[in-house]
Amino acid sequence: MNNIFDLAIVGAGPAGLMTAKTAAELGLKVTVIEMKQDIKKIKRACSAQFVMDEGYENESVKIQDNKIFFTKSGFDITYTGRSLNIIDNYHHSPRGHKIHLAHPDHRPFAVKFDKGQLLQDLWEDCEKCGVELRLETIAYGGEDMGEHVRIDVKKHENSYSINTRKLVIAEGANAKLTGVFGLNEGRVLFGTPYVVSYTIEGTTGFEPQSWNQFYGSEYHPFAEVMVESSIYGNDTIELTIMGNKDLPPDEIFENLVKNSPMSKHFSNAHVIDKKGCSLKSYASLKKPYSGNVLAIGDSAAHVEVLVQGAFMCGYHAATAIKNELIGKNGFEQYTCWWNQAFDFNRADALELVKLYGSLAMRPKYSDEELDYMFSLLEGEVLNGDFSQFEVPKKVWKAILAHKTQIQSERPILFNKIKNIDELNREGKLN
Ligand SMILES: Cc1cc2nc3c(=O)[nH]c(=O)nc-3n(C[C@H](O)[C@H](O)[C@H](O)COP(=O)(O)OP(=O)(O)OC[C@H]3O[C@@H](n4cnc5c(N)ncnc54)[C@H](O)[C@@H]3O)c2cc1C
């Protein structure tokens, strides 16, 4: 067959581009299919920060001299854009009590970056290795023919097919093509929240270099609201709000800036950018491949692998493809790595996410109960981590250090947190 690629990749996000670069460096003939017109234009909501916790998702990321080093996997990526160190992590109760996490030496637990520039830098490296990029092209179907894979694509009104020995699906969280190739069969869908992230200039009163979560009914009826410092200056923030089809994020946003305890910070502010997404929250794929097709990054994840995780997936996927093409079982090797690397692939982690959610979900705790629990930790600084799995453990352990007091002062509240106390006693919060 003429014109067959070694590897076709659907999606020029961080997972797809990293696969393309690494596979091309390994000598493969690679094409990337991307529906956007411009890969550096980011439309989906993304806070764009690297998690700097040692050992996070079995990796440790270091940033130095325009390079991002993945020290365990042994690769690096060029990044020439702006960055901002995030050093304080605050959880705010309805009446302003704060739980504060930070490293004692003020080193950053997260580093914000410009995602568009990061993808542009990565694409330039792909181009140097001879990767072909098909922009404004949607992959909508296809079939694994055994010897090769056929992918059906459409650019404007023009439909055609591409033949490839192996296919990597790196289409992100909505995982449509993943379904077309049969990988979503039996996969649980937990829900499809809407998320909108507003970049707002001219704000006052938010801590610089910080990540904040605001809890309670005056901010949001059922979830926390996130406020992050921005790479665009101290008077600019990113405000991220989750909603659903009955309560869209824009409605919550209007209330926040006009009627909530944080509205005073917005008197002279205006929105300079808005990004959104609907987020299919699938269970992760424990076996992310079938035949000649491998799903990586958010397409195979429970919600998200983050940008750094997407790079890791891309790097390991390319090696897997190379091995598959020389007759080794690369997809099985990838699957072992995938299941060990990510917290959401370890059963207990999902349990902990549920517990963390239960701190945010106001119907479970009243505003008064949130104020009470947060006030117990006022003035303390918990040792900073940023992982969505480590932070809840730390916060709950710190609250439970006041267990006897809670039991005697708030017996009803204590009853609500009894299951978390049990986890603590079983050592699962360590
Ligand atoms: C609210 C929010 C906050 C976040 N905050 C952070 C954060 O702070 N730090 C962090 O690292 N990550 C964050 N993330 C997660 C991060 O954005 C993702 O985990 C990461 O981008 C996943 O990379 P990916 O390459 O797997 O998918 P994506 O980045 O989604 O890329 C998929 C690409 O595929 C293309 N595509 C999709 N379908 C097709 C098709 N059929 N044909 C052709 N092209 C297609 C898309 O246009 C896109 O370019 C956040 C996400 C959300 C929603």
Side-chain angles (χ1 to χ4, degrees):
M1 186 180 293
N2 289 333
N3 271 335
I4 187 164
F5 288 90
D6 293 322
L7 172 62
I9 299 162
V10 175
L17 288 179
M18 188 64 202
T19 312
K21 171 182 178 282
T22 315
E25 283 169 350
L26 291 169
L28 307 188
K29 185 179 169 193
V30 182
T31 188
V32 178
I33 301 151
E34 169 56 54
M35 64 185 181
K36 290 196 301 190
Q37 193 179 24
D38 181 353
I39 49 173
K40 65 179 184 301
K41 278 244 155 68
I42 307 299
K43 294 180 186 157
R44 279 179 72 82
C46 177
S47 304
Q49 37 199 355
F50 290 118
V51 177
M52 304 305 289
D53 301 352
E54 285 283 318
Y56 176 65
E57 310 285 34
N58 263 346
E59 184 50 272
S60 292
V61 171
K62 304 269 177 267
I63 304 174
Q64 209 179 353
D65 302 332
N66 288 350
K67 291 263 182 214
I68 300 148
F69 295 92
F70 291 75
T71 55
K72 193 168 171 198
S73 299
F75 68 93
D76 59 70
I77 287 175
T78 301
Y79 173 56
T80 61
R82 297 178 192 215
S83 58
L84 177 75
N85 287 350
I86 302 295
I87 53 178
D88 291 302
N89 179 352
Y90 295 107
H91 297 240
H92 303 256
S93 80
R95 297 268 168 273
H97 296 290
K98 279 188 270 192
I99 298 175
H100 181 190
L101 293 104
H103 286 299
D105 60 2
H106 300 292
R107 71 178 186 279
F109 52 79
V111 175
K112 281 192 80 83
F113 54 88
D114 175 342
K115 190 173 179 184
Q117 186 59 51
L118 185 66
L119 293 182
Q120 179 62 28
D121 288 337
L122 187 52
W123 166 246
E124 282 168 19
D125 282 348
C126 288
E127 211 173 13
K128 283 180 208 148
C129 313
V131 173
E132 182 197 274
L133 177 63
R134 296 162 198 248
L135 291 171
E136 294 181 87
T137 306
I138 296 182
Y140 64 89
E143 194 178 346
D144 189 343
M145 320 287 285
E147 284 299 298
H148 72 277
V149 182
R150 191 197 77 240
I151 313 156
D152 303 326
V153 302
K154 191 170 181 185
K155 180 168 184 172
H156 308 307
E157 293 313 306
N158 181 21
S159 300
Y160 63 101
S161 297
I162 298 167
N163 293 312
T164 178
R165 293 193 170 86
K166 299 288 169 191
L167 169 65
V168 161
I169 302 178
E171 62 178 335
N174 287 337
K176 271 197 199 154
L177 205 67
T178 310
V180 168
F181 281 92
L183 286 155
N184 288 341
E185 245 161 68
R187 192 175 182 189
V188 180
L189 176 64
F190 295 107
T192 309
Y194 300 140
V195 182
V196 175
S197 187
Y198 307 82
T199 305
I200 309 172
E201 197 178 60
T203 57
T204 54
F206 293 110
E207 284 278 321
Q209 295 180 263
S210 71
W211 161 270
N212 302 270
Q213 284 173 269
F214 291 84
Y215 298 81
S217 65
E218 292 187 62
Y219 297 109
H220 196 297
F222 61 84
E224 70 270 29
V225 166
M226 285 175 279
V227 173
E228 309 145 44
S229 302
S230 160
I231 51 173
Y232 299 110
N234 280 346
D235 72 341
T236 306
I237 57 130
E238 285 167 33
L239 175 65
T240 302
I241 300 172
M242 188 171 84
N244 54 38
K245 65 175 171 16
D246 300 321
L247 184 58
D250 278 350
E251 222 171 277
I252 300 165
F253 175 76
E254 283 301 310
N255 180 57
L256 270 175
V257 296
K258 288 188 186 142
N259 307 316
S260 82
M262 67 165 74
S263 49
K264 57 182 181 288
H265 302 313
F266 297 105
S267 20
N268 291 313
H270 57 280
V271 175
I272 55 169
D273 192 20
K274 184 176 160 186
K275 295 185 176 75
C277 63
S278 72
L279 195 61
K280 281 211 169 120
S281 169
Y282 277 113
S284 90
L285 290 176
K286 293 289 190 282
K287 181 175 173 267
Y289 72 92
S290 169
N292 292 303
V293 182
L294 176 66
I296 68 164
D298 279 7
S299 325
H302 171 58
V303 186
E304 60 188 12
V305 289
L306 298 187
V307 170
Q308 66 209 75
F311 287 145
M312 287 152 56
C313 289
Y315 177 78
H316 289 279
T319 317
I321 301 284
K322 173 80 182 178
N323 281 338
E324 285 280 328
L325 290 173
I326 56 171
K328 292 189 187 163
N329 203 342
F331 286 170
E332 229 359 82
Q333 288 162 1
Y334 177 90
T335 303
C336 286
W337 167 80
W338 162 254
N339 281 307
Q340 280 164 17
F342 289 94
D343 281 304
F344 54 67
N345 282 331
R346 295 192 282 270
D348 274 5
L350 279 182
E351 200 48 47
L352 285 167
V353 171
K354 276 191 225 150
L355 293 175
Y356 189 38
S358 72
L359 178 66
M361 300 300 162
R362 214 196 59 83
K364 180 156 185 189
Y365 304 108
S366 67
D367 282 359
E368 195 278 331
E369 285 168 338
L370 288 168
D371 278 324
Y372 174 78
M373 286 193 283
F374 282 44
S375 74
L376 295 172
L377 305 185
E378 191 81 65
E380 254 183 75
V381 183
L382 307 182
N383 200 354
D385 273 309
F386 194 52
S387 147
Q388 62 270 49
F389 304 100
E390 292 309 313
V391 169
K393 288 196 239 172
K394 278 196 178 164
V395 168
W396 277 119
K397 263 184 89 81
I399 290 172
L400 286 165
H402 301 269
K403 178 176 144 174
T404 320
Q405 188 185 345
I406 304 171
Q407 224 164 349
S408 80
E409 291 179 351
R410 296 284 197 288
I412 296 169
L413 170 63
F414 186 73
N415 217 25
K416 291 187 190 175
I417 63 173
K418 234 160 65 189
N419 58 340
I420 303 166
D421 182 40
E422 272 158 31
L423 280 181
N424 191 27
R425 279 187 279 124
E426 287 163 18
K428 290 192 178 158
L429 301 188
N430 291 329

